[in-house]
Amino acid sequence: MTGRQRDDVPDVELDAWVHRYTMSVFAEILEVPVPELEELDSWDVLGLSSLQNMNIVARLDQDLGGVPVTLLFEHPSPAQTAYYLLENKRDELRAAMSGWRAERETSTPSGR
């Protein structure tokens, strides 16, 4: 529905989307609803096992490419992970957000 190119996504919109995206990845791997997660809790507080840690990194790498395996050790909370991604994967995030939007627009009647 929007005519924007991925480079036209406002930073504030991208920032908000990345935080939601990161929380959804953590929630998916932990198999808990997003509202049960705290964005500032570190992975050890969230109770992530080593396997879940690896699965989060693998999922982020699948979606964005080039994500370091040490990501959650260096940036242990969903918020810190989101900030890392914003600083290091901005172009990839813009592409992912554009793809998510396009998928959403084609999968819902009348764009909503």
Side-chain angles (χ1 to χ4, degrees):
M1 187 168 161
T2 64
R4 290 185 194 168
Q5 299 296 319
R6 67 178 167 198
D7 294 337
D8 295 336
V9 175
D11 284 344
V12 68
E13 191 175 338
L14 180 66
D15 291 357
W17 182 84
V18 171
H19 283 271
R20 288 191 310 270
Y21 162 74
T22 304
M23 289 292 285
S24 71
V25 170
F26 273 74
E28 178 184 320
I29 301 302
L30 285 169
E31 298 179 351
V32 298
V34 170
E36 290 184 20
L37 296 177
E38 294 292 329
E39 192 174 26
L40 298 176
D41 283 347
S42 63
W43 61 269
D44 55 337
V45 172
L46 293 171
L48 277 173
S49 68
S50 296
L51 180 59
Q52 289 169 319
N53 185 322
M54 290 178 5
N55 286 339
I56 289 172
V57 171
R59 169 64 190 283
L60 296 172
D61 187 64
Q62 175 187 339
D63 292 349
L64 306 171
V67 175
V69 295
T70 57
L71 177 64
L72 296 185
F73 292 104
E74 297 167 357
H75 308 279
S77 71
Q80 290 176 355
T81 299
Y83 289 126
Y84 168 85
L85 295 173
L86 283 165
E87 288 193 10
N88 296 281
K89 296 290 183 182
R90 192 165 286 274
D91 291 340
E92 293 87 342
L93 291 166
R94 286 183 190 281
M97 183 178 173
S98 294
W100 175 81
R101 280 181 169 170
E103 180 181 301
R104 206 167 157 214
E105 287 176 0
T106 59
S107 67
T108 56
S110 303
R112 181 57 154 111

